[in-house]
Amino acid sequence: MRSRRYAVLVGAGALAVSLLPGPPAAAADTQTVTVSTDRPVYQAGEGSRVPVDVAVTTSDGRPLATATTVRYATGAGTATPGVDYAAASGVLTFPAGSPSGAIRRFTVTLHRDRSAETAEAVPLTLTSAGVTVAAQPTVVVDAHGLPYLDRRLPVEQRVADLLGRMTLPEKIGQMTQAERAAVADDPTAVARWQLGSVLSGGGSTPASNTPAAWVEMVNGFQAQALSTRLQIPMIYGIDAVHGHGNVYGATIFPHNVGLGATRDPALVERVGHATATEVRATGIPWDFAPCLCVSRDERWGRSYESFGEDPALVVRMETVIDGLQGRRPGQLDDGDRVLATAKHYAGDGDTDYDEATAAANEGRPWWEQKYPIDQGVTVTDRAHFARVDLAPYVPAVGSHHVGSVMPSFSSVDWTEDGLGNPTKMHANRELITDVLKGRMGFRGFLISDWEGIHQIPDPAEPANTGLTAYKVRVGVNAGTDMFMEPYSAEQFEQLLLAEVTAGRVSQARIDDAVRRILVKKFELGLFEHPYASAGNVDQVGGAQHRAIGREAVAKSQVLLKNSGGALPLRKDARVYVAGRNADDIGNQAGGWTIAWQGVSGDAIPGTTILEGIREVAPQAQVTYSADASAPTAGAQVGVVVVGETPYAEGYGDVGGPECGWCSTPQQEEKSLSLQPGDRAVVDKVCAEVPTCVVLVVSGRPQLFTDQLGEIDALVASWLPGSEGAGVADVLFGRRPFTGRLPVTWPGSAAQVPINVGDADYRPLYPFGWGLRTGSTRTLLAAVAADRADLRAALAVGNWNPDGSLRNATEVLRLLGRPLGSGPGDAALTDAILAVARDAAQAAVVGGRAPADWAALIADAEHAQLSGDPVRAFTLLVRVAA
């Protein structure tokens, strides 16, 4: 989803407007006075007494120079005086000398008529001569006695009752989502437009970016939604794609590419749960995550949002949905769960790279350049599309019951009917309605991407990049249910209303969309608990979640090369740390952190990799020089941390536009090759320090095949997030290296795109590659010690003192028997395959592997992920033998 930096929310109670000069007293010559209430909307049940606090504030912060009187009165609204409430009026007096912020109170009395009815409004009028009244508040008598409000009834019955009471404009409002910045200056727009949802794009935050401020902001918008006659709560959504990235102080987890490297579905589920807990703690019940794209081209600027290049790996990592939503029915209304969103349906990671666009971008200013691959066209046959691009959505819907789905910006062009006639996914009725909602049985609702339907070509207005009636009609009829119209919500509603009135969009399609949306709002418990509590804000960035993040970082590190056992390092080593990403937590976190494009520098709380090294190895003698200009004399080990600066979406496309408004480091040209400065630091340190370890902090593989010979140990660190100490944990052996490549690491740019299963597959490192530093024997013994048929394999004579294989042929022969004897223990299977993989990789490192070793290892990884351990083992043994 796209976004920018936005204006901040200004609360109604904080407005201050300069006025005409007051009375001629000296202190009053410059002092102006503002009258405000403690809230714009007062909700209460019938029979209640509603206290209204009125405050006066002065422009200079001093006591009132002259007395101020405020007249109040109940006005004419939808509630009936004498029946629903007692009409009231009066005067509040603030004597001269009253402190700024002084409060006086009056009360509105609501009657109890005991008849079921919708909400009713009692507008209040405040007047005061010579001062500014910031806003006119409203008392809302809550709806009551209606079936949709009865929590004892089944959700389907409540939805049917509510849907039957709604007008067409109210239904269309539920289908509309606006950006917070569009309603921040005038939150009453939430009520006027009857919005079903509000969102924050990347970098769109309240003025004070604290968890408590988020709760206050969301509740303010909710109050407006609940001032409408049916009091349908709005649902707030946000892109928490690797933790609650918009919120300062949140735990920032590794991006999905790093989580894919962990191969640990249980850990990924815990990451999802921690994220949900922090998101819900800030008052937000809906997360636009996870991305289930299958990344097939490293040049794509969103490749780090993918768990990997193999759909089988993406499917394994879908446990993150369980972490976000919970596994059991009814968990959505728990205070630590959120509605998840599977995106971007479908094919966004499989679009073709447009060489012509990349070439045309050269020499142009960044604002004139176009994306060469992001939001592009997936040119494919239906069989490939089903096998690769649709595959992750089947279990997401059928097994994990994801609650919402977001269509992709991309298009699909079927080869079966000839090329050149792509269909935008937001306009693709076949894939949205027939396949997703029909064949897959998806029962949640679809939310468009950021102005997604704006990209649907309008034949009558091909140059129009905004909204048209055609685009609205096509988008709704294709099957999208809610529309992310950040700054065009009102226009969207007007256009859709006209289309329904004209019969070009059916009432049945509208009702289907609204029914799906309402079901999730009921399941989230928003009707019973529409307002968020600030009581859980301390969970944001809490120690428990940071520990999960640190574990995820450690398990995501992929050891690509380890000549001479360079890693792990001694904890008392003399270490020379260099490279621009060693002490830059913004670069380490990547895009979608604080801002849409991310921020280089000291952007968030946490630990950098350098700080982690000093924490994990306090006895080490650490010298740090970002550009390696400091002397290296005396250092035993060089740790060089290089890689990318943050980017998001098309601004990360190789050959695409640079982010001209971002920080200077982020404006570099995006490339699969290391930047010249990074290459220079690697060359210098590796030439001068006896042992050279290079860490690559990036969202995708980086090319440095020509430098590989001077590097002793090479680590793919991905984008670890806020917990850099997790990197140090594996560098110094507190945890073993266990990560495996989620994508193929190419040897040259000419090989890109390259993926597991390709006919000519000869990368630098294959999909699934990852050296281990822990004892493989210990790993096996932990799950097989009580197995009589495996005792011979565990015999000490078969293993070296460090736990690595000595007699690979014999051990693999013995370990193959349990795999071929039918279904077995998953942990034992994983351990046996780990032993086989280590043996295969040792053969590669030792120069004993067959010529097609890379394809065999990658195919074995695919087989394991696809549930065929026997084939995986057989392929690995072919390499090891």
Side-chain angles (χ1 to χ4, degrees):
M1 201 194 71
R2 296 186 292 167
S3 186
R4 306 173 184 84
R5 255 183 212 281
Y6 299 104
V8 296
L9 179 67
V10 180
L15 294 174
V17 181
S18 297
L19 306 172
L20 295 173
D29 286 342
T30 57
Q31 186 183 74
T32 58
V33 179
T34 299
V35 171
S36 61
T37 55
D38 57 326
R39 68 190 73 170
V41 178
Y42 297 83
Q43 269 184 262
E46 59 174 2
S48 301
R49 290 173 56 82
V50 182
V52 179
D53 287 344
V54 178
V56 293
T57 54
T58 58
S59 58
D60 56 10
R62 297 180 178 180
L64 287 174
T66 60
T68 296
T69 58
V70 180
R71 296 184 179 277
Y72 67 88
T74 53
T78 54
T80 304
V83 177
D84 297 308
Y85 68 97
S89 61
V91 176
L92 303 175
T93 301
F94 296 85
S98 297
S100 179
I103 294 174
R104 298 288 185 272
R105 173 177 291 180
F106 68 91
T107 302
V108 178
T109 300
L110 306 181
H111 296 324
R112 188 185 300 277
D113 60 12
R114 301 186 183 280
S115 60
E117 54 192 350
T118 57
E120 297 171 312
V122 183
L124 305 177
T125 302
L126 304 178
T127 57
S128 182
V131 305
T132 293
V133 177
Q136 301 292 354
T138 301
V139 173
V140 175
V141 186
D142 285 339
H144 53 276
L146 301 173
Y148 76 87
L149 298 172
D150 189 348
R151 70 178 67 189
R152 297 168 298 180
L153 296 178
V155 167
E156 294 78 7
Q157 187 174 338
R158 297 176 73 181
V159 169
D161 177 72
L162 177 54
L163 196 62
R165 299 177 186 277
M166 296 175 70
T167 66
L168 179 58
E170 287 171 331
K171 292 176 181 178
I172 289 173
Q174 286 301 300
M175 297 172 66
T176 310
Q177 182 185 67
E179 224 287 334
R180 57 153 291 282
V183 295
D185 291 338
D186 181 13
T188 63
V190 174
R192 289 199 314 277
W193 301 340
Q194 303 182 86
L195 293 176
S197 181
V198 179
L199 84 146
S200 275
S204 180
T205 74
S208 174
N209 190 359
T210 64
W214 280 88
V215 172
E216 182 180 4
M217 178 189 71
V218 173
N219 283 345
F221 292 139
Q222 191 68 279
Q224 293 297 327
L226 298 178
S227 70
T228 58
R229 72 178 190 99
L230 292 173
Q231 294 189 303
I232 303 174
M234 68 92 197
I235 179 172
Y236 204 97
I238 199 164
D239 289 274
V241 299
H242 65 141
H244 204 359
N246 264 341
V247 179
Y248 185 82
T251 308
I252 306 302
F253 296 98
H255 269 294
N256 284 353
V257 68
L259 295 182
T262 70
R263 298 300 200 276
D264 191 337
L267 171 62
V268 170
E269 182 174 351
R270 287 192 286 135
V271 168
H273 190 193
T275 299
T277 300
E278 297 199 12
V279 171
R280 201 73 186 249
T282 59
I284 299 173
W286 186 12
D287 185 3
F288 304 135
C291 183
L292 300 184
C293 51
V294 182
S295 177
R296 306 290 286 182
D297 193 322
E298 293 86 345
R299 293 170 293 186
W300 184 38
R302 305 191 80 144
S303 53
Y304 63 77
E305 294 188 50
S306 171
F307 290 113
E309 69 184 41
D310 188 339
L313 174 57
V314 176
V315 169
R316 284 286 303 275
M317 297 298 107
E318 287 180 8
T319 51
V320 68
I321 298 172
D322 301 328
L324 292 167
Q325 294 189 161
R327 287 178 174 267
R328 302 187 311 276
Q331 276 192 279
L332 268 181
D333 67 350
D334 291 351
D336 57 352
R337 303 290 181 175
V338 295
L339 189 72
T341 307
K343 65 182 189 183
H344 303 91
Y345 182 84
D348 57 331
D350 201 12
T351 55
D352 280 11
Y353 189 85
D354 191 333
E355 299 281 0
T357 294
N361 284 339
E362 293 184 12
R364 291 185 176 181
W366 67 268
W367 60 88
E368 292 181 3
Q369 296 181 29
K370 298 180 180 179
Y371 301 163
I373 185 168
D374 188 38
Q375 304 184 21
V377 181
T378 306
V379 181
T380 180
D381 60 73
R382 294 175 184 272
H384 171 91
F385 194 78
R387 184 176 66 254
V388 173
D389 302 305
L390 285 179
Y393 292 92
V394 176
V397 169
S399 300
H400 301 284
H401 310 292
V402 69
S404 65
V405 169
M406 181 182 290
S408 175
F409 281 125
S410 61
S411 307
V412 62
D413 191 353
W414 303 122
T415 57
E416 288 92 340
D417 59 5
L419 300 181
N421 56 341
T423 301
K424 278 286 183 183
M425 196 58 61
H426 279 80
N428 202 316
R429 179 180 174 85
E430 175 197 355
L431 288 173
I432 291 177
T433 296
D434 300 342
V435 175
L436 180 64
K437 290 182 174 180
R439 195 162 73 224
M440 291 189 198
F442 176 58
R443 294 293 177 261
F445 69 92
L446 275 91
I447 171 69
S448 82
D449 209 329
W450 183 280
E451 296 181 347
I453 62 171
H454 295 215
Q455 297 190 16
I456 298 174
D458 186 336
E461 301 181 60
N464 190 333
T465 59
L467 273 181
T468 67
Y470 175 87
K471 296 178 183 184
V472 170
R473 175 170 72 251
V474 169
V476 175
N477 286 337
T480 296
D481 303 305
M482 184 184 286
F483 293 80
M484 191 181 294
E485 292 295 324
Y487 298 101
S488 46
E490 189 175 22
Q491 181 191 9
F492 169 81
E493 292 180 344
Q494 293 167 351
L495 288 171
L496 182 52
L497 180 62
E499 289 300 292
V500 178
T501 303
R504 291 183 289 267
V505 174
S506 70
Q507 281 278 2
R509 172 75 270 269
I510 298 298
D511 286 352
D512 172 64
V514 177
R515 182 180 294 108
R516 290 168 178 271
I517 295 165
L518 293 178
V519 165
K520 294 306 171 185
K521 289 188 174 185
F522 278 111
E523 290 179 353
L524 282 162
L526 295 179
F527 281 82
E528 283 69 51
H529 305 288
Y531 292 109
S533 166
N536 296 320
V537 294
D538 60 343
Q539 295 182 356
V540 177
Q544 182 179 3
H545 295 164
R546 292 190 180 275
I548 295 172
R550 184 168 177 169
E551 179 184 351
V553 171
K555 289 185 175 181
S556 73
Q557 303 300 292
V558 180
L559 183 57
L560 301 174
K561 178 180 180 180
N562 194 27
S563 295
L567 292 175
L569 303 176
R570 285 175 35 212
K571 293 186 179 180
D572 61 351
R574 296 191 298 276
V575 183
Y576 186 92
V577 180
R580 61 176 178 166
N581 284 351
D583 196 33
D584 192 313
I585 201 165
N587 289 356
Q588 179 178 302
W592 293 105
T593 310
I594 297 300
W596 171 37
Q597 293 291 319
V599 183
S600 289
D602 191 15
I604 55 173
T607 57
T608 65
I609 293 173
L610 174 66
E611 291 167 340
I613 288 172
R614 287 173 168 156
E615 174 190 328
V616 171
Q619 286 80 40
Q621 299 177 42
V622 178
T623 299
Y624 170 61
S625 177
D627 60 358
S629 59
T632 59
Q636 297 169 316
V637 180
V639 176
V640 186
V641 191
V642 293
E644 297 185 302
T645 55
Y647 54 80
E649 302 190 43
Y651 288 97
D653 282 0
V654 172
E658 298 82 32
C659 179
W661 72 89
C662 292
S663 65
T664 300
Q666 294 173 263
Q667 296 178 26
E668 64 191 18
E669 183 179 357
K670 301 303 179 288
S671 172
L672 294 184
S673 297
L674 289 179
Q675 297 293 322
D678 283 350
R679 289 178 58 84
V681 173
V682 171
D683 284 341
K684 183 176 189 300
V685 176
C686 289
E688 297 181 6
V689 181
T691 299
C692 186
V693 178
V694 175
L695 312 181
V696 184
V697 173
S698 64
R700 53 194 165 197
Q702 298 286 279
L703 302 172
F704 45 81
T705 307
D706 61 324
Q707 293 182 293
L708 194 59
E710 63 192 71
I711 297 170
D712 297 297
L714 177 64
V715 180
S717 290
W718 310 114
L719 298 170
S722 60
E723 308 310 304
V727 178
D729 284 339
V730 291
L731 287 180
F732 289 93
R734 287 184 61 174
R735 287 182 178 270
F737 277 95
T738 58
R740 307 204 294 276
L741 282 179
V743 293
T744 300
W745 199 285
S748 68
Q751 291 184 330
V752 177
I754 182 170
N755 295 287
V756 55
D758 286 355
D760 184 19
Y761 188 77
R762 298 179 183 276
L764 183 62
Y765 297 108
F767 174 73
W769 180 271
L771 304 176
R772 294 177 53 88
T773 55
S775 167
T776 311
R777 184 181 185 279
T778 300
L779 175 70
L780 182 64
V783 294
D786 59 346
R787 293 282 298 262
D789 56 339
L790 293 176
R791 285 174 189 156
L794 290 169
V796 175
N798 289 328
W799 303 83
N800 295 314
D802 64 356
S804 61
L805 275 173
R806 175 184 297 168
N807 190 348
T809 302
E810 176 64 10
V811 170
L812 293 178
R813 183 185 68 81
L814 294 169
L815 293 182
R817 294 173 180 172
L819 289 178
S821 60
D825 178 75
L828 176 59
T829 297
D830 287 347
I832 290 173
L833 291 177
V835 173
R837 186 178 300 104
D838 283 2
Q841 292 179 154
V844 173
V845 173
R848 305 185 305 275
D852 60 346
W853 64 267
L856 293 171
I857 288 176
D859 289 347
E861 187 71 11
H862 172 74
Q864 180 178 356
L865 292 166
S866 302
D868 191 350
V870 173
R871 174 170 169 75
F873 184 82
T874 301
L875 294 171
L876 292 171
V877 168
R878 284 176 57 185
V879 179

